Amino acid sequence: MKYKRILLKLSGEALMGDRQYGIDPKRLSEYADEIKQIHDLGIEIAIVIGGGNIFRGVAGASNGMDRVQGDYMGMLATIINGMALQGALEEKGMLTRLQTALKIEAIAEPYIKRRAVRHLEKGRIVIFGAGTGNPYFTTDTAAVLRGIEVDADVILKGTRVDGVYNVDPEKNPDAVKFDYISFDDVIKKGLNVMDTTAFTLSQENKLPIIVFDMNKEGNLLKICKGENIGTIVNI
């Protein structure tokens, strides 16, 4: 395997499947199958999930809600998604731990770096909920931060597109996909890989990002084997 320890970033919207909101059990089960394939090969897996399928703080703020309050609601949404994924993974025989940046002892461990690393070393899948625990920071930033803290080899950003393009491929059929692009070129071209805080943090710590289509069966396994899937963003 090319990577020993990965940080998988999933968007909340990805869990909706074909629904308008909420969680699609079929999509959740498919993701659990994909994750099990690489888990069975001994890869250590940490996961961060967004909460956009349930609530997004920015959207709440645009409707007159206090941004800080909205962001905390979004953090709780990520915990709900984390619990759903935890259930799907354990149903397929994997050991998991849900750690949250906000203390909710009844359902999850508080995030402690050393404990998270120990879980990973023992082969447990660790799901990080509640983002960074601070408003104004996205789950992209949380994913990169946790990836750096647990010494992940790579950030795997699972999306509904198969990589980074020069323009939006869903709007422009002539969009050109990059197989490999540097951090500097992403900035120069004004491409949207992650939010600026997350991207800068990843660049400063030389942590590569791979953007790929999580909905295509086998992609996650192929990446971990070193195949050229999606777009690699690196120094």
Side-chain angles (χ1 to χ4, degrees), residues 96-113:
T96 69
R97 291 292 185 274
L98 175 61
Q99 291 196 345
T100 60
L102 301 175
K103 288 186 179 180
I104 312 180
E105 287 91 341
I107 57 172
E109 296 179 359
Y111 171 68
I112 299 171
K113 180 207 163 183

Side-chain angles (χ1 to χ4, degrees), residues 140-192:
D140 276 352
T141 301
V144 175
L145 178 62
R146 295 291 181 251
I148 294 165
E149 287 179 318
V150 303
D151 200 23
D153 299 321
V154 65
I155 302 288
L156 302 183
K157 184 173 181 180
T159 66
R160 62 186 181 185
V161 294
D162 62 346
V164 178
Y165 287 77
N166 61 336
V167 293
D168 189 344
E170 294 182 345
K171 296 178 181 176
N172 189 335
D174 297 322
V176 178
K177 176 176 169 284
F178 300 100
D179 291 328
Y180 176 93
I181 190 167
S182 70
F183 284 105
D184 288 339
D185 282 344
V186 168
I187 294 168
K188 285 176 189 173
K189 297 176 187 293
L191 304 177
N192 185 24

Side-chain angles (χ1 to χ4, degrees), residues 31 89 105 227:
Y31 282 0
L89 293 171
E105 287 91 341
E227 293 185 34

Side-chain angles (χ1 to χ4, degrees), residues 11-16 20-23 50-56 77 81:
S11 70
E13 287 89 339
L15 299 184
M16 292 191 300
Q20 297 299 312
Y21 61 89
I23 300 168
N53 56 321
I54 299 172
F55 191 84
R56 190 181 290 279
N81 284 339

Side-chain angles (χ1 to χ4, degrees), residues 55-58 60-61 64-76 135-136:
F55 191 84
R56 190 181 290 279
V58 177
M65 179 180 287
D66 177 71
R67 171 65 190 273
V68 173
Q69 191 84 342
D71 279 354
Y72 277 116
M73 291 171 69
M75 290 178 215
L76 295 176
Y136 297 100

